[in-house]
Amino acid sequence: MKFGPIEIKDKSNRTIVLRNATPEDAEDLITYLKVTTAETPYLIREPEEVIMTQEQETAFINNCLNSDRSLMLIATLDGKHIGNCSFNPVGNYKRYRHRCEVAIALYQEFCGYGIGKIMMETVLKAAKEIGFEQAELEVISDNQNAITLYEKLGFQKYGTFPDNMKYADGHYASADWMMKKL
């Protein structure tokens, strides 16, 4: 789906640009995935599992750009990629057409400035405008900062997946399933 670009201000009054990811962003997005998976235990991959090629990432970006039901939004500050937020259909079946999954991540140094909230609000508005009726996400149960944000945006918890992830050191983390009517 085509979007933006738009400019927003974060809590520090910095100008953040929200725009579609483009094929030219593929290498930056792969680096971003490697860094963010190492920065936080709340994402689903280990850093060494980020193995997609630039060609694969470019194909994914092009699929999002050419889809009328998917959006991959990136945030930049002074031209530098600082985070992204997306939505995708839950499935291709008619009975699932009303549902989308949302995801967001920022480099840790940009958390706490309101950027994630604005990105989520932007993505949720776009999802509603194209006809999705509910947005869903999965969040690690002890990721209180993210849960607080999602609740402020109107998401509610509807269930928990015990031992949803198993970390390299052998410990487990549960995940909450949250949903918001659009």
Side-chain angles (χ1 to χ4, degrees):
M1 155 177 193
K2 303 286 193 280
F3 180 89
I6 63 170
E7 291 185 355
I8 61 159
K9 295 286 188 178
D10 73 0
K11 289 180 181 177
S12 295
N13 205 35
R14 296 177 294 188
T15 301
I16 309 296
V17 175
L18 303 181
R19 64 171 176 80
N20 281 114
T22 65
E24 294 76 24
D25 296 313
E27 188 175 337
D28 281 346
L29 285 167
I30 293 169
T31 300
Y32 161 82
L33 283 172
K34 289 178 182 177
V35 172
T36 56
T37 57
E39 286 183 328
T40 178
Y42 300 128
L43 301 177
I44 62 172
R45 301 177 214 205
E46 296 287 344
E48 66 272 10
E49 293 177 305
V50 179
I51 57 171
M52 77 275 296
T53 65
Q54 191 166 342
E55 293 77 22
Q56 290 169 321
E57 186 68 7
T58 297
F60 175 76
I61 292 166
N62 282 327
N63 285 339
C64 288
L65 285 170
N66 295 323
S67 169
D68 60 349
R69 302 207 18 103
S70 294
L71 174 62
M72 184 159 158
L73 186 67
I74 70 168
T76 63
L77 173 62
D78 298 327
K80 179 186 177 212
H81 175 225
I82 62 171
N84 55 278
C85 189
S86 62
F87 68 76
N88 290 290
V90 168
N92 293 322
Y93 303 108
K94 288 179 183 178
R95 293 179 181 181
Y96 281 1
R97 279 192 70 79
H98 66 291
R99 298 169 58 199
C100 68
E101 299 172 307
V102 294
I104 185 170
L106 291 161
Y107 283 111
Q108 288 297 300
E109 69 181 289
F110 297 101
C111 292
Y113 293 99
I115 300 165
K117 181 177 186 235
I118 295 169
M119 289 176 70
M120 285 287 289
E121 289 170 338
T122 302
V123 163
L124 292 169
K125 180 180 178 202
K128 181 177 182 173
E129 286 174 356
I130 64 167
F132 285 111
E133 298 173 30
Q134 72 186 45
E136 305 169 13
L137 57 82
E138 193 175 293
V139 58
I140 299 304
S141 300
D142 65 357
N143 187 351
Q144 196 54 57
N145 289 339
I147 291 169
T148 299
L149 169 63
Y150 303 146
E151 289 173 343
K152 284 180 184 175
L153 293 171
F155 283 85
Q156 293 181 339
K157 176 181 163 181
Y158 286 92
T160 299
F161 300 105
D163 299 339
N164 185 62
M165 291 199 302
K166 184 176 181 182
Y167 294 102
D169 67 4
H171 84 277
Y172 295 89
S174 297
D176 295 339
W177 181 76
M178 299 182 80
M179 186 269 290
K180 169 191 174 71
K181 291 289 187 185
L182 297 176

